[in-house]
Amino acid sequence: MENTLQLDLNRSSHSCREDFSEYVAHLQLHMALQARNLVPNLTQAADSREQLLQETQAEFEKLVSRQMR
């Protein structure tokens, strides 16, 4: 009986962690998409600051997409 109870607790804990991880992943994706709306569309960079912004945006989006897998 005790082993069964422990097994049920482990499953419940694992399920809760998976649910939380999925929630965090969705939240990160939502935040990345929101952030994308806050920066200009990728065009030919007019100066080094705009180029840095575009590179940073691309790197952030790559990082988020890798975390979703």
Side-chain angles (χ1 to χ4, degrees), residues 34-60:
Q34 287 293 82
R36 185 180 175 98
N37 292 331
L38 299 176
V39 295
N41 291 332
L42 293 179
T43 58
Q44 187 64 32
D47 59 26
S48 61
R49 291 181 308 160
E50 191 173 341
Q51 179 67 34
L52 178 60
L53 175 63
Q54 290 176 1
E55 290 170 8
T56 303
Q57 178 182 353
E59 288 299 316
F60 181 73

Side-chain angles (χ1 to χ4, degrees), residues 1 14 17-18 22 24 29 32 36-38 49 64 67-69:
M1 179 70 175
H14 181 70
R17 279 194 302 265
E18 284 182 356
E22 187 174 335
V24 170
L29 176 60
R36 185 180 175 98
N37 292 331
L38 299 176
R49 291 181 308 160
V64 170
Q67 290 179 350
M68 293 298 295
R69 294 180 192 170

Side-chain angles (χ1 to χ4, degrees), residues 22-36:
E22 187 174 335
Y23 168 77
V24 170
H26 281 112
L27 183 60
Q28 287 175 327
L29 176 60
H30 175 75
M31 291 172 64
L33 293 173
Q34 287 293 82
R36 185 180 175 98

